[in-house]
Amino acid sequence: MINNKKALLKWAALVLGGVVLAVLLVAGVAVALVAPSLPDVKQLADYQPKLPLRVLTSDGVVIGEFGDERRQLVPLAQIPKSMKDAVIAVEDARFYEHGGLDTVGITRAMVSNLMHGMRQGASTITQQVARNVYLSSERTFSRKLKEALIALRLEQELSKDQILEIYLNQIYLGQRAYGFAAASEAYFGKPLKDITLAEAAMLAGLPKAPGANNPVANPRRARARQLYVLDRMQSLGFATAEQVGKAKEEQLALRGVNNPDRLHAEYVAEMVRQQMVAQYGDSAYVRGLTVTTSLVAADQAAAYQALRRGILDYERRQPWRGPEATVKVPEDAAAQDDAIDDALATRPDDGEVLAVVVLEASPKQVTAVGRDGEEIKLGGDGLRLIQTGLSTRADARQRVARGAVLRVTKNAKGAWEVVQLPEVEGAFVSLDPRDGAIKSLVGGFDFGQNQFNHVTQAWRQPGSSFKPFIYSAALEKGFAPATMVNDGPLFFDRGTTGGQPWEPKNSDGNFEGPMTIRTALQKSKNMVTIRVLQSIGTNYAQEWSGRFGLDADKQPPYLPMALGAGSVTPMQMATAYGVFANGGYLVKPALVSKVVERGDKVLFEAAPPVLDDSTRAIPERNAYVMRTLLQSVVKNGTAARAYQALRRDDIYGKTGTTNDSYDTWFAGFQPSRVGIVWIGYDTPRQLGVRGETGGSLSLPVWTAYMQKVLKGVPVEKSTVPKGVLLAEGEWYYDDYPPGTAVAGLDVDTAPALGSIPPGGVPAGAVPGFGSSPPAEAGGTQGQAPKQPAQTQDRNWILDLFRR
């Protein structure tokens, strides 16, 4: 019996040995066949992954990333210890002990796979680097063999820290993020160095299943994985029980579209992307360019919030247009959830403006639900906009009932209210007039809905915000702020115009007789500006406007130019008003301040502009006197509400409104900041039922912005330059003192030579010159064709601006 047992054991040992020998022989042959095709891993010592184009504010806030992969290359020494510990705890606890392969893990996985099929892996961090860099993720024995061989080679050629650094920068973690630095920005909107233990554990749970464990898509599974990582860290001694307990209680704030802390600068990021691709070609997307802009994060946030608030306030004053849609909402709870999800799937939230579906509606209360499933109750002032739609007699297009898709937001008091997605558009840009650095830029209400950048691409008529350029030109012809000009009617007959008669008006239809230029600009009097332009000549005024960086060809040299009948962009107006602000220099706007390639190689760094005779646009004394005039507009004129809100003696500006209120402007500045606001429809039409003005619509946006960015900034005192004198309570050029300056213009000043082309207006040049204007309109007569802002270059004579 004993001999039989010995014989059995002997045969078993021989069989096992044969099997092992056969396995080794097969493995050896496999290695011999596979080895020649394995990559040279020495190149990983100089790890150079594809890095995206990143765009930053001047204070380091990321505002855009462009490329197939979001990635940042961060040295191991700069990665927080909590992040490294969390990854090692959950992915490869014996990382610093094994030689690339974890034999214990391999044995466990082999047994499981033989019993249940190819279900488990035992990949170490080194093996994952091998797979992520060189191989596919297919589950085959040949791929696993290659992975193991490459891992062994990596351990021979690289240090453990080098391998870990590659892993932490290479691994895919969802949301197009590769590496933990990019994932920290993608999920939490913060640099990796600033993450907490709880956030590190959440990120460390992603490599196993970036889709299933994604906290954005699957918050419950992500939470379960995070708790597992924290428990592993505690069991391995990477964190104390107290630290883990606090981490488990921490509420994580995920970065998202509706995150109030998210900085919106999409139009700026797109401007930079276009510029970098034009400069460096498609390689801009992969060579790791980091572009630092002149934007200031706080300024940009203030501009974005001010413009959106101004546009939404305008929409609150408009009639209710009706629900965006009406869908059938079943009574069954599960079916109801599906119907709501379907209804909102194609109507994403727009920042703080959320899409909801109405469940119940009455004149006193509306109950609605959003995409997060939370019920929202609205009542009182929150229903003001839709009162007509809650009536039993409401028109079918406006009726609000169960299934209506509405937009809601929180008002200043934190209560929900119904709003409408704006149809109107807007633009805001601010810059430092001393160096041209753009501090904030918002090209429209929502980049996701309309990528057209109204700051740089929208050619619109500036209205009375153009008048300061006319008065600036007049100062060089001997005019002074005290010059008296008649605010009386003007009439140009057929013989003068070569077409229909033209009888311009003031915005209010009233005439006040003789007044000073200062008073005329404060009140934005059209008749006075036209008479001044008659006197100085339209060709001269056209040339003078070009000194400010405006396109002179888009300011035709005819009398309507006095009322801003040409075309400008908001960016051009910012540059132009900067000339008044900085003492007379034309400083081009600048956005990109530095471009750095991977490895901190500086490709470009902006130099400060030179302010000398080569950049001087107008005399310093001209800029000074114009500032006093623009200060009067803010203190006592059409922009007085800005002074009432800011209470500063160093703010200046001018309102602008088109005929029929097609466009509203405010162009203003403080010596360190120029701000330009434009609001209008892409397809021009009247703003508001009764017609909005620059003072009612654009000025509040500018004021809200300046209240934030000028907080704590000392009031700047003006220094009187050479060449001006104060006489009889008013400013004059010293070579045009009282008695020699233009004292006034006659009541019936005839058109200056060149104001109307000899022989009348050329045929076809100004079609519709003499058609009748609306009764409330001031300025020219005639209706402009409705053209979108993208292609707008309307006939300059057709729509004159008021105030």
Side-chain angles (χ1 to χ4, degrees), residues 605-635:
E605 190 160 12
V610 177
L611 303 183
D612 57 17
D613 289 343
S614 66
T615 54
R616 179 162 290 286
I618 62 175
E620 184 180 8
R621 65 180 185 176
N622 187 298
Y624 178 81
V625 174
M626 286 305 305
R627 282 199 301 274
T628 72
L629 289 170
L630 294 170
Q631 186 181 55
S632 293
V633 175
V634 173
K635 280 192 170 183

Side-chain angles (χ1 to χ4, degrees), residues 180-227:
F180 287 91
S184 179
E185 294 281 3
Y187 290 106
F188 303 119
K190 61 168 64 175
L192 185 61
K193 64 182 179 63
D194 295 335
I195 63 169
T196 65
L197 177 61
E199 291 166 339
M202 180 68 79
L203 294 179
L206 290 169
K208 183 177 181 180
N213 297 331
N214 186 321
V216 174
N218 295 292
R220 284 190 293 272
R221 292 192 61 171
R223 171 64 172 169
R225 183 69 174 167
Q226 177 207 32
L227 296 178

Side-chain angles (χ1 to χ4, degrees), residues 53-66 70 185 255 262-273 290-298 300-301 438-441 447 591:
L53 166 65
R54 304 182 76 232
V55 187
L56 315 177
T57 64
S58 61
D59 39 353
V61 178
V62 178
I63 58 174
E65 278 189 312
F66 300 95
R70 291 176 175 167
E185 294 281 3
R255 177 183 184 180
R262 178 187 176 190
L263 183 65
H264 288 272
E266 295 87 350
Y267 289 97
V268 175
E270 176 60 16
M271 289 171 66
V272 173
R273 184 197 70 80
T290 298
V291 183
T292 302
T293 67
S294 55
L295 242 61
V296 176
Q300 179 66 21
I438 296 171
K439 299 301 183 181
S440 63
L441 188 153
F447 182 82
L591 179 60

Side-chain angles (χ1 to χ4, degrees), residues 745-759:
L745 296 178
D746 294 334
V747 174
D748 296 320
T749 303
L753 184 64
S755 297
I756 300 295

Side-chain angles (χ1 to χ4, degrees), residues 306-321 385 419-426 445 660-664 679-681 685-693 696-698 700-701:
L307 182 63
R308 283 180 68 94
R309 187 180 301 115
I311 289 177
L312 287 175
D313 284 347
Y314 165 78
E315 286 292 348
R316 290 182 176 98
R317 299 193 291 269
Q318 307 316 303
W320 171 237
R321 295 189 291 269
L385 177 67
V419 293
Q420 301 181 98
L421 270 186
E423 294 180 346
V424 73
E425 271 295 356
F445 182 80
D660 291 339
S661 295
Y662 277 5
D663 303 84
T664 70
I679 295 177
Y681 289 100
R685 69 175 192 263
Q686 180 171 295
L687 287 160
V689 177
R690 296 179 180 85
E692 298 274 354
T693 67
S696 68
L697 188 50
S698 291
V701 174

Side-chain angles (χ1 to χ4, degrees), residues 383-406:
L383 302 178
R384 181 183 301 170
L385 177 67
I386 61 172
Q387 277 302 318
T388 57
L390 293 171
S391 168
T392 55
R393 293 175 294 179
D395 180 270
R397 291 171 299 178
Q398 294 185 323
R399 183 173 299 122
V400 177
R402 181 178 174 87
V405 179
L406 307 179

